[in-house]
Amino acid sequence: MKLPQKIADFLWVTVRIWKYNWLSDAKNVKGKPILYHPLLLKGKGKISFGNHVTIGVKASPLYYSHYAFLEARTKDSEIEIGDHVAISNGFSVEAYSKITIKNNVLIGVNCSVTDNDGHHLEPEKRNETNLIALPVLIEENVFIGDNVSILKGVTIGRNSVIGKGTVVTKDIPENAVAAGIPAKVIRFL
């Protein structure tokens, strides 16, 4: 790598990784991911990383401009990421209950996982903070394409593939390829 590229990587990546580490306020964090991209950890809950979790891909969109965001909002919230999980750039997770990502999962660019609606749907309740949260489970060996949104209460079965741009609102069985808005199984492996 040439010197100008090393300087650019230091200024645009390494310094930003330090910055987001400094801005992180999550106290209950177990494990340490391998960072190629900035990561912001927030919330009062538990966040755990297994062995060889990588966050960020240099030869991928959003590398210099975005960061990964994981928030275990309440003291009872939990985010659990298994072993050998590879997460691309611009990933976000918001847990009020529990979000589990098992071993050997691949996650594409600009994906999000949430276990709640963010706000109540009824106009008179939108500012209330007692949200309905349902756990999310992503089983082993799942491949999630770019720009995928995974919503509350979903389980994605082992070995499944979620196509680019999909919004997952319901469970996906094992060994399935799902795509669309909302996600539909289009074939089995």
Side-chain angles (χ1 to χ4, degrees), residues 108-173:
V109 172
N110 200 37
C111 291
S112 67
V113 182
T114 185
D115 66 0
N116 65 85
D117 290 328
H119 294 279
H120 285 279
L121 301 179
E122 301 85 11
E124 64 279 357
K125 293 183 177 181
R126 287 218 179 118
N127 292 324
E128 293 182 13
T129 57
N130 60 338
L131 299 176
I132 297 169
L134 299 170
V136 173
L137 173 61
I138 301 170
E139 293 282 2
E140 291 87 2
N141 205 37
V142 169
F143 171 45
I144 299 169
D146 295 347
N147 300 307
V148 170
S149 296
I150 300 170
L151 305 182
K152 72 179 184 185
V154 167
T155 296
I156 298 176
R158 292 174 55 110
N159 305 317
S160 290
V161 176
I162 308 300
K164 188 175 192 171
T166 296
V167 177
V168 184
T169 60
K170 295 185 177 156
D171 292 352
I172 303 298

Side-chain angles (χ1 to χ4, degrees), residues 43-120:
K44 299 174 184 171
K46 299 175 186 172
I47 300 173
S48 64
F49 298 97
N51 295 315
H52 200 75
V53 173
T54 59
I55 297 177
V57 177
K58 186 171 183 174
S60 189
L62 311 179
Y63 180 68
Y64 290 108
S65 60
H66 287 62
Y67 61 94
F69 176 81
L70 278 68
E71 180 182 26
R73 178 77 55 99
T74 71
K75 67 178 181 58
D76 296 323
S77 303
E78 188 173 351
I79 298 169
E80 182 181 329
I81 300 175
D83 298 333
H84 303 283
V85 174
I87 299 169
S88 196
N89 308 329
F91 180 61
S92 68
V93 175
E94 182 186 322
Y96 268 79
S97 61
K98 184 172 184 178
I99 295 173
T100 305
I101 300 170
K102 297 281 190 162
N103 300 336
N104 303 307
V105 171
L106 301 174
I107 300 175
V109 172
N110 200 37
C111 291
S112 67
V113 182
T114 185
D115 66 0
N116 65 85
D117 290 328
H119 294 279
H120 285 279

